[in-house]
Amino acid sequence: MSNTTRLLKRYRVEVAASASSVLSTLSTFPLDSVKTRMQTYKYAGFLDCVRQTYQTEKLRGFFRGVTAPMASITLVRTVSFSIYQNTKYSYSGWVKKNFGVDVMGHVSAQGSYPNFWTVATFGAAGATAGFCISFIACPFELTKLSAQVSVLMADKKNCPRPESHAIAASYQNKGTLKTLGNIVKHRGFRGLYTGLKLHLLRDTLGTGTYFMTYESSKQLLTTFGGDGTHSNPLAVLVAGGLCGIVSWALIYPVDSAKSIYQRNSLMYSKGQKVEPVKIEFFKKNMYRGLGVSMGRSCAVNAVFFSSFEFLKKRIKAMDDQVQQDPTKRLQ
């Protein structure tokens, strides 16, 4: 077995997660762009946002800021999956040691159902991963948001103060690195972490809910479907889509507050006070674009998990083939 094959086998989760993230992000980015615009500005609806964006910015408008999330989501997903896998087994071991409950053994047992310990373990592991990745993702997401709404911010009618127009207009039509530099110029290096508290809250709750729902629904599908259901592409698709919908439904007002606060902050210079944005659950304006987000989440997870499972199997099959046929070993 060659060194390359050994590395692929050892890090197949990370390799599969990285490649799948690029594919899923690129294919569904227009929906993310529409979601952000609907959160931060008023439109009559999804189709109105699509129509206005195309009329003013053409197709390019739907892919503004795609570079930042391509890099950040790939990094974040890879790190998130790695942290989640490690903490899941660590927390499971702690539960077994202190309470005598074998969480992973229960999940693997045929005919088992989710219980308090499995839900709590997966939720805590996901929350830990979400908290950690927020420090990586926040600057990239701020850059993405800036690019997505840069044209709208530059419009004078969208500026709360006349003096903020020059700052807002400076973000228009800039690439990822120039946008990062522009944020630092106006708000300092700490400005890259504008909205971090809201980001931490969103990702801690959201990622915890995401993995908790994914693992539990996959366990249920395994039990209801019998042996092998967990490897069935349809089962993976349903579990992935469901975890995305449930997590977004829970944390969407937090995400809206984060997006609005970050948008507002981009119109101010360092030292100027930016009014906080209140998180309001069950208030209509905080749920603008929720349908788009849920549709996008289903699409992202359908592409991601299908690709993720496929690539993992291909890497494992390649390894098995090499071991079975020594004449085909890579030199």
Side-chain angles (χ1 to χ4, degrees):
M1 188 190 302
S2 71
N3 290 333
T4 301
T5 304
R6 289 193 185 94
L7 286 173
L8 282 173
K9 179 180 179 180
R10 182 176 180 181
Y11 297 106
R12 62 181 180 273
V13 170
E14 288 79 4
V15 172
S18 299
S20 300
S21 291
V22 172
L23 178 62
S24 60
T25 301
L26 186 61
S27 60
T28 60
F29 192 76
L31 289 174
D32 183 72
S33 184
V34 171
K35 182 269 293 184
T36 300
R37 290 165 184 263
M38 292 182 69
Q39 283 181 319
T40 52
Y41 294 95
K42 290 184 178 180
Y43 292 93
F46 171 75
L47 293 178
D48 180 52
C49 182
V50 172
R51 180 180 58 80
Q52 289 195 40
T53 301
Y54 183 76
Q55 285 181 347
T56 56
E57 305 174 53
K58 302 303 178 185
L59 286 175
R60 182 180 179 184
F62 296 101
F63 289 93
R64 287 188 186 279
V66 71
T67 306
M70 282 279 283
S72 67
I73 293 176
T74 299
L75 177 62
V76 165
R77 274 197 185 270
T78 303
V79 174
S80 177
F81 269 64
S82 181
I83 294 174
Y84 174 71
Q85 287 294 327
N86 288 321
T87 54
K88 177 173 70 174
Y89 285 100
S90 295
Y91 292 162
S92 177
W94 182 85
V95 169
K96 185 176 182 179
K97 179 180 178 182
N98 291 276
F99 299 97
V101 178
D102 185 358
V103 173
M104 301 310 297
H106 174 76
V107 172
S108 301
Q110 185 176 353
S112 64
Y113 293 90
N115 59 27
F116 169 79
W117 294 109
T118 61
V119 171
T121 299
F122 298 144
T128 302
F131 180 87
C132 293
I133 62 176
S134 295
F135 296 95
I136 301 172
C138 189
F140 288 101
E141 283 212 17
L142 179 62
T143 303
K144 179 196 72 171
L145 180 139
S146 170
Q148 287 176 329
V149 301
S150 61
V151 174
L152 294 167
M153 284 199 307
D155 192 331
K156 288 185 178 181
K157 69 180 181 182
N158 292 323
C159 293
R161 305 171 305 131
E163 58 269 29
S164 67
H165 178 257
I167 299 174
S170 69
Y171 288 96
Q172 189 172 1
N173 297 323
K174 281 184 167 59
T176 300
L177 294 179
K178 288 185 178 179
T179 298
L180 281 170
N182 208 40
I183 293 172
V184 173
K185 175 184 175 182
H186 291 297
R187 299 193 55 78
F189 282 100
R190 290 184 64 182
L192 294 174
Y193 284 90
T194 298
L196 177 61
K197 290 181 180 179
L198 290 169
H199 200 124
L200 283 168
L201 179 61
R202 186 201 70 177
D203 279 6
T204 300
L205 288 175
T207 310
T209 304
Y210 180 89
F211 280 112
M212 178 176 65
T213 305
Y214 177 72
E215 296 281 12
S216 298
S217 59
K218 191 168 68 170
Q219 184 181 0
L220 284 171
L221 288 168
T222 300
T223 298
F224 292 152
D227 294 339
T229 303
H230 62 278
S231 62
N232 187 299
L234 182 59
V236 171
L237 183 68
V238 173
L242 185 60
C243 71
I245 291 174
V246 172
S247 60
W248 269 114
L250 173 67
I251 55 90
Y252 200 77
V254 181
D255 185 61
S256 290
K258 178 192 77 72
S259 296
I260 295 169
Y261 179 77
Q262 288 180 327
R263 186 277 313 271
N264 293 346
S265 298
L266 292 172
M267 301 184 194
Y268 290 81
S269 295
K270 183 179 179 181
Q272 294 180 321
K273 184 179 179 180
V274 182
E275 291 297 322
V277 177
K278 186 179 180 181
I279 301 171
E280 297 178 292
F281 288 90
F282 309 113
K283 191 170 182 180
K284 187 176 180 180
N285 70 304
M286 299 301 287
Y287 289 89
R288 290 199 301 260
L290 176 60
V292 179
S293 291
M294 286 187 167
R296 169 190 165 275
S297 182
C298 280
V300 165
N301 285 289
V303 175
F304 175 80
F305 280 106
S306 296
S307 173
F308 178 72
E309 295 294 344
F310 173 78
L311 288 174
K312 278 203 308 179
K313 289 178 182 178
R314 291 292 295 177
I315 292 172
K316 185 65 170 65
M318 178 187 69
D319 177 60
D320 291 341
Q321 184 179 16
V322 170
Q323 291 186 60
Q324 292 170 8
D325 188 355
T327 63
K328 294 183 180 180
R329 288 179 181 171
L330 299 175
Q331 299 301 321

